[in-house]
Amino acid sequence: MSYCQLNFVFLSFCWKNGQLEYLGANQRFLDYFGLKLKDILGQLGCPHPNNDHDDLQKIMDQEKQLLKDGVALNDYLTLSVKDNHRTFHYYLSPIYDDNTICGLLGLIMDVTSQMD
């Protein structure tokens, strides 16, 4: 699947290497957080401008744990994005090379309208 095709998927997603550096993201992910791909490639941490938010630290801790134990997870997070409170349902899943975890895939859905 090409990068262009990934932009037509109705999910937002990103992928990271084993050091939790961003390797890529689709356009929907970038749009949610008001980012450009060049701004996140190789970066650690969460892309949200308010990256000191406790819930964002929770996600970073979950990502580290996922790399250790390989257990996928799903959770919810409410953030202020572009001056709007948005609720996201996110999934984190390990990526394997043979039997070794080499990164993760994050899927994110904006579920704000379903939570109202």
Side-chain angles (χ1 to χ4, degrees):
M1 187 178 287
S2 72
Y3 180 76
C4 185
Q5 290 170 312
L6 294 176
N7 286 327
F8 290 103
V9 174
F10 292 106
L11 290 173
S12 165
F13 58 93
C14 65
W15 53 100
K16 296 181 174 186
N17 64 19
Q19 291 75 45
L20 298 176
E21 299 167 325
Y22 281 93
L23 297 178
N26 71 342
Q27 191 61 48
R28 186 172 299 266
F29 178 90
L30 299 170
D31 290 345
Y32 276 154
F33 299 105
L35 300 167
K36 297 194 181 311
L37 187 60
K38 67 181 174 99
D39 296 333
I40 66 166
L41 291 179
Q43 298 298 310
L44 297 170
C46 295
H48 191 269
N50 184 16
N51 63 10
D52 60 345
H53 193 279
D54 288 341
D55 286 334
L56 294 175
Q57 182 61 49
K58 176 180 134 181
I59 293 173
M60 292 170 60
D61 293 343
Q62 289 172 330
E63 291 175 342
K64 290 175 187 174
Q65 188 63 42
L66 180 142
L67 291 179
K68 289 180 186 174
D69 63 24
V71 176
L73 63 95
N74 70 77
D75 207 344
Y76 290 86
L77 173 67
T78 300
L79 292 174
S80 181
V81 177
K82 298 179 184 175
D83 297 324
N84 294 313
H85 290 301
R86 311 299 298 173
T87 300
F88 298 98
H89 188 182
Y90 64 93
Y91 299 87
L92 299 176
S93 180
I95 298 173
Y96 288 88
D97 182 13
D98 292 321
N99 292 323
T100 304
I101 298 172
C102 62
L104 66 83
L105 176 66
L107 302 173
I108 303 163
M109 294 179 292
D110 186 338
V111 295
T112 305
S113 62
Q114 298 167 4
M115 303 300 279
D116 293 337

